[in-house]
Structure formats: C-alpha cells, structure tokens
Amino acid sequence: MSWINSLMARSFGRKPKAAQNAQPNLVFAAPPAVREGAPAKKPLDAAFPRFQSMAGDQLSPRLNDRFASARIKLRSAFTPSQPITDRRMFAGRVDVLTTLIRSIEDQRVHVIMYGERGIGKTSLVHVLTRAAEEARYIVVYCSCGAGSTFDEIFRAVAADVPLLFHSGFAPTADASERGGTLADLLPATVLTPRLVADLFAKLTGTRVLVVLDEFDVCDSPEFRRNIAELIKNLSDRSIRTQLVIAGVAADLTELVEHIPSIRRNIFALQVPKMSATEVNHLVENGEELSGLTYDKAATEFIVFVANGSPYLASLLSHHSGLAAIDKGRTNVAVEDVSLAVDQALTEFRGRISRHSQLQIDHAAKTGVRHVLGVMAGAALFNNGRFDDRDIDALYPSAANAASFKATIEELASRQILLETHEDEYGRGYRFSEEAVLPYLWILAAQKRFLESRKPAATDKPAVPTTPDKAPVAEKAAAEKPADKPAEAAGATPRAAGRP
Ligand SMILES: Nc1ncnc2c1ncn2[C@@H]1O[C@H](COP(=O)(O)OP(=O)(O)OP(=O)(O)O)[C@@H](O)[C@H]1O
Ligand SMILES: [Mg+2]
C-alpha cells in the first residue's frame, strides 16, 4: 500500500513514544571492557568516512568536532528532501494560507491545490492541517499512490473518525465508549461515493477535512471520477466533510477530471512561486534554528538562484551551511553558496538522461546554453513551457529577440533539448526533459550572479535583477562577444543569435 495512512500522517513531526523516552546514555553505553590478554584491536582509521551523529540525534562521543551540533541543527533547519511539518520552518505563504482557511471555513467549499513539483504543496497542506486541528477539525491526511483506490482511502478515513461524532450514537453508547470508529459501520462491499456520503451525512459535533495529497500520482480515471462524484454528493447535502486535494498539475482540469460538474463546489488554487521576500524568510528561519548566519550576499545568491522555488532555496541553504561548517565557520559566505550550487548542479545533472547531457554540453560549446538557461528560468514554473512572449519580455531589443527566436526555433525543429508545443495559449516551446530545466537554470543563474559581483570599472558589485526581468537577459546578451556567433547545439552557426 503506497499511500500513508492517516495514523502515520497524524504523527508527523512527533517522535514515536519509544524515541521520546529513550535515554541518551543507553545509546552510548560504554563498550565492553577489553579482556586482559585479548589481542589489541586495530584503531579505526580516522580518515575512514563515518556518520557524524547518532540515529537519536545525539552527538557521537567519538567526535570532538565542536561543529557537530551545528551540523545536526542545520539538518533540521533545512530539509530539502522533506516537506515542512514544523511551523517554525514554514516561510511566507500567509496570503495563500488565509485564502485556504477562508474558503474552507466561510465558503465551505472543497479545495484543490495544484502547482509545480516542489513548489510547497505538501508543506502548505501540513501547516493547514495543524491550523484545522487547532480548530478541532478531524483531519485525515492521505498521500495517494499509483494504486490507490477509493475504497481503501475512505475506509482509512472512516477509521479515523470516532463513532461518538455519529448522530446515531450517544457519547455514552457502548460502541463509542469502546473507541469505535465510522469504519465499523462500513459494509464489506466495495465503497461507492454515495455510500461514503451517506455515512458522513450522519456526522455531528465536528467537521472532517480529508486531505488527498500527491493526487496526480494516481491517474486511475475511476478513482478521479469517484472523488468528483463524492465532492458533488457532499456539497449537495451540506455534509460536514470537506476535501483538500493537492497535486502536481499545470492546470486544474489536468488534476481533476469531470470538473464541470463540481466547479461551483470547489476552490482551486495554483500555488505560486515564492517572492524574494518569502525566500529571504526561509533563509532567516533556518538561521534561527541552526544558529548559523548567512552573509547578506550569500542570502542574495540563494534567493537569486532559487528563483521562487522553496525547494531550491532549502537545498542551497542546506548545502552551503554544511560547506561553511566543514570549513570551521558558522557564517555562510558567497563561496559556500557557490560550492552548494556546484553540488546541486552535480545532483541535477545526475537526473538528466545521457542523451540530454550530451546535447547540453554541445550547447555550451556553441554558446546557446546560457540562453536556454534563461528560458528555463522562465519555464520553471510554467510547466516547462515558454513562448515568443517570454522571449520578448526577456529580450526587449527587437534584434536580440528576433535572432534568439530563430535559434530557439531551430533547436526545437531539430528536437535539441526543446520541442514545439501547441496549447490553449498558442504555439510555444517545451523542454523535452523535465530534469533539464533546473540544471540549465541554475547554471545560467550562477553565471549571472557571479559575473555581477566582479568589480566593474566604476560599478560596485550589484545583485542581478531577477532573470525574468529584462535587464539581466539583455546584459547577458550584451556581454557575449559580439563577433562570436551562437549556434544551435548541433546546428550550423547562426549569425548574431546569441544570448
Ligand atoms: N513555506 C515553506 N517554507 C520553507 N520551506 C518550504 C516551504 N514550502 C516548501 N518548502 C521546502 O520546499 C521543498 C518542497 O516542498 P514540498 O514537498 O511541500 O513541495 P510539493 O509541492 O509538495 O512537492 P511535490 O510536487 O514533489 O509533491 C521542501 O524541502 C520543503 O522543505
Ligand atoms: Mg508534495
């Protein structure tokens, strides 16, 4: 079963009882005394890699590294591979959360949250869950898997709702006293939306939020049809149960089929990328929790490369913090972020197919890689898509824009990293492989940021304008040697088609 059952979800962020009670001295029980006459053990090779902290988060007594504790704190201050479950680490999103709470509380609608991978949907869902629990909602979190079925999900949901909230059971009745749940009332036959709605119609004295996260992972049309039907049933009968659905999607219809029938009953929210201020907060929260300080320029570097992605911001903050600690510092400098960016690039490159890697390397030689990187920045939060309007916005000079469009068109026609793409917004381009986008973008952003710090003849080092603003791209274009024609990767040289 690939979805997390509600019990697991409810214990998010809490240590299991056993771990809470564990005595640190048990973890570090003294090694058995060496018997006299026993052959002396070879000392462990100090250089051999080993874990630096114990599984219970205590410092290893073998290590006298005074930064070991900073390292442990940093690990929980930035968790790039896990969603946020602790409100202290949750940055920004105040408007989004307010809107979500209002629609659940005031409009009593069901919520669908969609957006790009890593934009922060699950983190939002966790924080929303906490807020709802504070208001005594029963929240049941389910992470959908490829094989999730309506039946198994709603059996698990019902198992989390105590019978004492069923209008047919007095709080003192035997079954509710014994800790029974709504699941006890379900038939053995496969659950249908009507059956579930009939059961939840009996709820009294509470409200239930059913969170279906990673909804995109389960693409069974039957599952989606059942969910749409359930939303309709719950809404039509004003049942005290609301759904919160979250998943990766470019638009709403991609996430929920049969949407026309339930459009009035849902509030759909596309989770936006974070503002620079919000990413700044993300770094500040981590500073507070880890005890490290990030130099102003280091934070600016992180904010610039993150480009609104909490995932990238968390990843770079984490890696750069570790880089500083490795050098025996508790302040994070630009050079640490640079190392972090290199490390991220290695990670992202590993996710790209060999075929695309070769095309990217060729694009670097032919001078179009940076241009592709700038466009990747624009496409990063647009389902990997961009079109001529994005190029015009990035390259206001008509001559640059025209030659760039020609280069892009040629790359797409030869299916080099790009392909043409038609949708309701018209003709555009898409990166042929999702993993290529962050890689190309980070390369371009790193180059731009570091170049902007090189002292110019008269200028002080400046933070580059965000890459979706024209000046950066224009400057990049201007900085390219005018006599060096760019060429499409693998294509014939094209005069003036430079980034
Ligand atoms: N508001 C936030 N404050 C701080 N960090 C955040 C915030 N939102 C997300 N993050 C960080 O960004 C990363 C991605 O977040 P999350 O897993 O919530 O995204 P997601 O949209 O659910 O991703 P996926 O599409 O892969 O399911 C995580 O490392 C998380 O720690
Ligand atoms: Mg998620």
Side-chain angles (χ1 to χ4, degrees):
M1 191 164 73
S2 48
W3 51 277
I4 302 170
N5 74 26
S6 50
L7 280 174
M8 280 173 72
R10 281 168 153 234
S11 63
F12 252 116
R14 283 182 229 149
K15 280 188 194 160
K17 277 253 161 17
Q20 282 167 6
N21 298 334
Q23 298 298 312
N25 58 354
L26 290 182
V27 180
F28 298 121
V34 180
R35 273 181 294 119
E36 259 183 61
K41 269 199 177 162
K42 234 172 87 182
L44 281 173
D45 178 0
F48 195 75
R50 54 160 85 102
F51 286 75
Q52 311 214 15
S53 49
M54 309 305 284
D57 283 352
Q58 301 91 343
L59 296 181
S60 166
R62 280 198 304 261
L63 291 168
N64 53 7
D65 174 2
R66 70 189 175 93
F67 289 99
S69 118
R71 204 181 289 275
I72 287 180
K73 284 191 197 151
L74 180 73
R75 274 187 214 127
S76 42
F78 298 107
T79 55
S81 54
Q82 283 157 9
I84 300 288
T85 52
D86 180 340
R87 207 179 275 179
R88 290 175 304 160
M89 290 156 65
F90 188 79
R93 305 298 199 195
V94 174
D95 292 347
V96 173
L97 260 177
T98 310
T99 311
L100 287 172
I101 292 173
R102 291 288 156 267
S103 30
I104 291 170
E105 192 170 43
D106 296 338
Q107 299 176 46
R108 298 285 184 221
V109 286
H110 305 269
V111 170
I112 298 183
M113 242 193 274
Y114 63 97
E116 305 290 330
R117 188 157 295 291
I119 198 73
K121 301 175 291 295
T122 303
S123 303
L124 260 169
V125 154
H126 286 317
V127 176
L128 177 69
T129 296
R130 292 283 164 274
E133 282 173 345
E134 278 167 16
R136 298 283 165 87
Y137 278 68
I138 295 176
V139 187
V140 190
Y141 175 93
C142 304
S143 185
C144 301
S148 292
T149 65
F150 184 81
D151 182 87
E152 69 174 350
I153 291 221
F154 281 90
R155 278 186 195 280
V157 171
D160 248 26
V161 183
L163 261 186
L164 84 114
F165 294 112
H166 188 287
S167 58
F169 289 80
T172 51
D174 271 2
S176 50
E177 266 176 9
R178 285 198 310 270
T181 68
L182 291 195
D184 304 340
L185 307 180
L186 291 171
T189 51
V190 174
L191 298 185
T192 62
R194 168 151 294 274
L195 229 152
V196 171
D198 285 348
L199 180 66
F200 280 83
K202 303 273 168 41
L203 272 184
T204 177
T206 192
R207 301 195 73 92
V208 174
L209 271 192
V210 179
V211 179
L212 302 177
D213 197 10
E214 319 302 347
F215 193 74
D216 53 293
V217 176
C218 179
D219 55 10
S220 145
E222 193 196 348
F223 177 69
R224 294 183 175 209
R225 198 166 36 247
N226 278 337
I227 295 293
E229 218 170 290
L230 178 67
I231 290 180
K232 187 95 183 89
N233 261 286
L234 294 171
S235 310
D236 287 353
R237 298 162 64 187
S238 303
I239 295 172
R240 303 172 73 86
T241 298
Q242 284 160 277
L243 264 52
V244 174
I245 296 176
V248 176
D251 59 42
L252 189 59
T253 36
E254 209 179 276
L255 200 61
V256 184
E257 291 173 76
H258 317 286
I259 221 68
S261 63
I262 53 168
R263 204 173 277 278
R264 273 183 305 113
N265 312 117
I266 57 170
F267 171 70
L269 175 92
Q270 180 169 20
V271 181
K273 67 182 204 171
M274 279 182 151
S275 67
T277 313
E278 289 179 311
V279 179
N280 252 302
H281 281 161
L282 186 153
V283 181
E284 280 165 16
N285 286 349
E287 279 184 310
E288 214 159 286
L289 288 167
S290 66
L292 298 182
T293 50
Y294 287 69
D295 294 353
K296 187 164 173 284
T299 306
E300 284 168 355
F301 196 177
I302 292 172
V303 171
F304 183 66
V305 177
N307 191 18
S309 159
Y311 166 64
L312 283 183
S314 181
L315 185 75
L316 297 177
S317 305
H318 178 263
H319 287 355
S320 55
L322 283 181
I325 291 172
D326 283 345
K327 288 190 209 118
R329 283 190 273 104
T330 53
N331 74 299
V332 182
V334 164
E335 62 182 269
D336 303 314
V337 182
S338 240
L339 283 177
V341 169
D342 289 341
Q343 199 180 337
L345 282 170
T346 309
E347 285 172 31
F348 282 111
R349 189 174 170 92
R351 296 175 201 169
I352 300 173
S353 70
R354 183 85 191 111
H355 178 68
S356 294
Q357 284 184 19
L358 291 172
Q359 290 187 333
I360 290 171
D361 294 343
H362 193 73
K365 284 191 207 129
T366 55
V368 294
R369 192 182 68 184
H370 184 76
V371 175
L372 283 169
V374 174
M375 294 324 297
L380 209 49
F381 298 103
N382 195 26
N383 206 27
R385 178 197 186 280
F386 66 94
D387 60 27
D388 284 355
R389 282 164 295 194
D390 295 301
I391 301 174
D392 288 332
L394 284 157
Y395 291 81
S397 131
N400 275 335
S403 71
F404 186 28
K405 283 177 192 167
T407 305
I408 291 289
E409 182 59 33
E410 179 157 357
L411 287 169
S413 70
R414 302 189 58 176
Q415 301 204 323
I416 295 167
L417 298 165
L418 293 175
E419 53 199 39
T420 50
H421 175 73
E422 294 273 351
D423 57 20
E424 71 261 43
Y425 304 109
R427 187 173 186 279
Y429 305 94
R430 276 181 78 119
F431 283 85
S432 34
E433 201 180 319
E434 196 185 328
V436 159
L437 275 118
Y439 180 74
L440 283 175
W441 159 248
I442 294 172
L443 271 171
Q446 180 189 41
K447 180 168 180 273
R448 280 303 306 126
F449 187 89
L450 294 177
E451 276 176 5
S452 76
R453 286 181 55 80
K454 282 189 194 143
T458 49
D459 285 349
K460 281 198 301 199
V463 179
T465 327
T466 47
D468 45 352
K469 300 252 165 48
V472 170
E474 275 299 278
K475 195 153 173 257
E479 280 168 4
K480 200 106 191 7
D483 56 345
K484 183 174 183 297
E487 71 188 273
T492 45
R494 173 183 297 283
R498 60 185 196 271

